[in-house]
Amino acid sequence: MSEKDFIAHHQASIESGNFQWSAPSNIALVKYWGKKEKQIPANPSISFTLNTCKTITKLAFVKKDNKDSFSFDLLFEGQPKEDFKPKIQKFFERIDTYCSYLKQYHFTIDTENTFPHSSGIASSASGMAALSMNIMSLEKALNPAMSDAYFYQKASFLARLGSGSACRSIKGSVVVWGNHAEIEDSSDLFGVEFPSPIHENFSNYQDTILLVDKGEKQVSSTVGHDLMHNHPFSEQRFAQAHHNISSLKTILETGNLEAFIKITESEALTLHAMMMTSMPYFILMKPNTLEIINRIWKYRNTTQIPVCFTLDAGANVHVLYPENVRETVLQFIKDELLGYCQNGQYICDAIGTGAIKIL
Ligand code: PMV
């Protein structure tokens, strides 16, 4: 598939209607950090789709007379939210070439998250994925012959143009985004479901998100990605990501949890190491992030329970573990880790399957 395959050619005409989709957040195991023009990733990444942390977005549309510009109202939890509008305006501009029908309508976008606002959990992945699903529902109504495969592929393509990692929040439990020699049909343009069967050790894998710091991000991910240009270690890092996906492919197939832990934790620390070694440099971990990491290591060493962590571009910690040790690990988290969280806040999540149509 190339970019021009995603240009819409629709026939039908629809006056008005509405759709509603939920789309989940996702947590990368091999991280995307660094991009080229047009949201093309500098290296491939792979993620677990989440289940509980999601955005629910309703898109109402009605035909309008003026077809020269985009027109939309934006509601967040039922209230107008002007400061979200520029991001959506920019998204519409980016996808205009592929969705020329958008200017024919006035939209009301009504959106909410299942996780607390400014919890430090990025809503851009789930938010852009949910909006893209709704847009694709409209496109499918205009072009009912569209195949399911194309529907999901283009949804991921559009979501990517909104926020890179959003393309991994559309469909599947484990999603790869970015060209990789060993992942069939992988593409820089959209996410694909991990192609082989995943070992049962990973079924319903748990992700308990510890909210360490809910403050505003010091560095936007756009600025962070840009700092990988001219970064002294970028080439090695991009090569390492390819290598880690090759290893993780076998690990996911064979269920080797020890090897899974090594790659996952190393990737999280490498992501932060890239931030610490860029110019300007920055540290997104907090002292409590490190306390939690040390506690996890100590617990794993003494109990041999395969619990590990990963990090996003922030201070929060994702604690990952198999379902069969859920009770024990949750007890450990409550006893030893919640004291390091802001107001003791955490979210219990697990691997999910992707976006769900509500209306
Ligand atoms: O999708 P963006 O541009 O917000 O970048 C996300 C980057 C990380 O979350 C740090 C890593 C990843 O692969 O999700």
Side-chain angles (χ1 to χ4, degrees):
M1 292 291 274
S2 75
E3 280 161 329
K4 58 180 188 329
D5 295 317
F6 291 112
I7 297 172
H9 304 285
H10 55 278
Q11 296 100 31
S13 166
I14 296 175
E15 283 307 309
S16 65
N18 59 73
F19 299 106
Q20 190 177 28
W21 280 85
S22 77
S25 185
N26 69 76
I27 181 67
L29 303 168
V30 172
K31 310 288 182 181
Y32 147 62
W33 197 244
K35 64 178 162 187
K36 306 176 199 165
E37 287 279 281
K38 297 191 194 165
Q39 302 276 97
I40 297 299
N43 64 261
S45 57
I46 184 167
S47 55
F48 278 162
T49 305
L50 297 184
N51 189 38
T52 307
C53 289
K54 50 191 175 191
T55 299
I56 300 159
T57 300
K58 190 171 182 177
L59 183 76
F61 56 95
V62 55
K63 258 225 164 111
K64 63 180 172 68
D65 295 332
N66 169 356
K67 299 185 173 47
D68 299 335
S69 57
F70 299 112
S71 168
F72 63 95
D73 294 316
L74 187 81
L75 306 177
F76 180 66
E77 293 175 348
Q79 301 297 321
K81 188 88 178 163
E82 289 301 310
D83 40 331
F84 283 5
K85 286 187 82 173
K87 206 169 174 186
I88 306 293
Q89 173 72 28
K90 199 166 154 203
F91 176 55
F92 279 168
E93 285 164 13
R94 277 194 191 161
I95 66 173
D96 187 30
T97 320
Y98 309 103
C99 307
S100 51
Y101 50 87
L102 291 177
K103 282 184 179 152
Q104 297 180 8
Y105 294 97
H106 173 78
F107 296 103
T108 305
I109 304 165
D110 194 344
T111 189
E112 62 188 49
N113 298 327
T114 58
F115 45 90
H117 187 49
S118 47
S119 56
I121 297 183
S123 57
S124 55
S126 53
M128 286 301 173
L131 182 55
S132 299
M133 296 311 296
N134 280 302
I135 291 171
M136 285 312 294
S137 277
L138 169 59
E139 186 170 322
K140 189 166 168 73
L142 296 168
N143 174 17
M146 180 190 296
S147 72
D148 265 9
Y150 183 86
F151 175 86
Y152 283 103
Q153 211 163 59
K154 183 164 175 182
S156 177
F157 173 87
L158 297 179
R160 184 195 104 244
L161 292 170
S163 169
S165 59
C167 76
R168 300 187 311 237
S169 277
I170 301 292
K171 191 168 181 282
S173 300
V174 180
V175 178
V176 178
W177 167 41
N179 262 320
H180 187 280
E182 291 166 42
I183 306 282
E184 219 178 300
D185 299 329
S186 57
S187 169
D188 284 347
L189 299 179
F190 47 81
V192 296
E193 273 191 78
F194 181 71
S196 7
I198 294 158
H199 192 275
E200 61 180 7
N201 281 354
F202 295 103
S203 45
N204 205 23
Y205 217 68
Q206 303 287 303
D207 179 2
T208 303
I209 309 165
L210 305 180
L211 306 180
V212 173
D213 186 69
K214 306 190 289 167
E216 280 291 302
K217 275 200 200 170
Q218 301 164 37
V219 184
S220 74
S221 67
T222 310
V223 172
H225 286 293
D226 275 353
L227 292 174
M228 288 302 280
H229 295 297
N230 305 316
H231 189 291
F233 307 131
S234 60
E235 287 315 313
Q236 296 94 315
R237 161 59 197 152
F238 301 148
Q240 180 195 43
H242 281 268
H243 183 76
N244 281 347
I245 288 188
S246 297
S247 307
L248 205 54
K249 181 174 185 284
T250 312
I251 292 166
L252 291 170
E253 288 161 0
T254 58
N256 183 342
L257 292 179
E258 205 180 315
F260 174 81
I261 289 171
K262 280 194 183 131
I263 301 262
T264 303
E265 292 190 343
S266 163
E267 274 288 324
L269 295 178
T270 301
L271 169 70
H272 284 256
M274 290 300 116
M275 301 172 186
M276 288 192 248
T277 49
S278 60
M279 192 55 80
Y281 41 83
F282 53 99
I283 301 181
L284 295 186
M285 285 188 267
K286 296 284 180 197
N288 281 351
T289 312
L290 291 178
E291 292 286 356
I292 290 170
I293 291 174
N294 279 313
R295 291 277 181 157
I296 291 173
W297 283 347
K298 197 167 161 210
Y299 178 78
R300 192 167 74 221
N301 271 335
T302 32
T303 62
Q304 301 303 312
I305 291 174
V307 51
C308 72
F309 72 86
T310 188
L311 307 166
D312 252 337
N316 295 337
V317 182
H318 289 247
V319 187
L320 302 177
Y321 48 97
E323 190 183 25
N324 65 0
V325 291
R326 188 170 181 270
E327 293 309 317
T328 330
V329 174
L330 267 179
Q331 198 55 54
F332 155 67
I333 290 173
K334 285 178 189 157
D335 293 344
E336 293 196 42
L337 305 184
L338 292 191
Y340 298 113
C341 299
Q342 244 183 27
N343 308 320
Q345 277 189 283
Y346 68 108
I347 297 170
C348 286
D349 213 331
I351 289 196
T353 54
I356 297 170
K357 190 165 197 268
I358 301 168
L359 271 181

